[in-house]
Amino acid sequence: SCNYRLFDIEQFPELKESPFSGALADKPTQATFTSIYQTIIQPRCLSCHKPDSDSKAKALPFLTYDDLFVSNDDGNPLITPGDVENSLFYQVMIKTGKERMPPDKNGLTAIASDRVEMVKRWIQSGAFQK
């Protein structure tokens, strides 16, 4: 008879939950532009990063995929595919204090660590559109 297990459920407690319920339900599984746009940009960035905003951030809109590949006023690229260290879009999410995005105003809080990790994976994998 067989006397082995494919995995140990105690070693991998996350496998006890269905991916459609509980703690795993809110966690994105793929790092794509669409998932990032829907879970981060749209709800957390567009209040300021759109042309009709009252914020000075309207000069740097995040409405399309191409908008994320421009440079800011200092000439720093928002996203450098494959390079999170030189991708300002990612770097401002991991900062603290006044430099962090989104800022601690208008009720916005720091982006959840699993979402930040998703952005990191997306950039590291080439930041493709789809």
Side-chain angles (χ1 to χ4, degrees):
S1 83
C2 251
N3 194 12
Y4 68 90
R5 292 190 258 175
L6 293 176
F7 60 87
D8 185 348
I9 200 75
E10 297 306 315
Q11 241 182 334
F12 303 102
E14 66 273 13
L15 297 176
K16 290 180 183 178
E17 293 183 295
S18 162
F20 304 106
S21 66
L24 295 179
D26 294 331
K27 293 185 179 179
T29 56
Q30 291 185 336
T32 65
F33 171 71
T34 301
S35 64
I36 289 166
Y37 190 85
Q38 291 172 345
T39 62
I40 298 171
I41 296 172
Q42 196 168 36
R44 306 299 297 285
C45 305
L46 288 186
S47 60
C48 297
H49 288 276
K50 62 182 180 179
D52 61 349
S53 168
D54 292 334
S55 169
K56 64 181 180 180
K58 69 182 178 184
L60 199 57
F62 294 169
L63 297 175
T64 68
Y65 173 81
D66 291 336
D67 288 342
L68 296 176
F69 293 89
V70 299
S71 296
N72 69 0
D73 292 340
D74 297 332
N76 299 317
L78 293 180
I79 293 180
T80 302
D83 185 357
V84 292
E85 296 300 318
N86 289 308
S87 293
L88 188 60
F89 183 72
Y90 170 78
Q91 291 299 319
V92 296
M93 288 183 198
I94 62 171
K95 290 186 180 235
T96 58
K98 292 182 180 183
E99 296 180 349
R100 181 186 54 81
M101 289 289 159
D104 284 325
K105 63 180 184 178
N106 302 329
L108 295 174
T109 58
I111 295 172
S113 60
D114 63 326
R115 303 274 195 242
V116 173
E117 183 62 28
M118 182 174 68
V119 170
K120 182 179 180 179
R121 287 192 322 264
W122 178 62
I123 293 171
Q124 286 174 329
S125 68
F128 298 106
Q129 185 167 7
K130 303 257 179 195

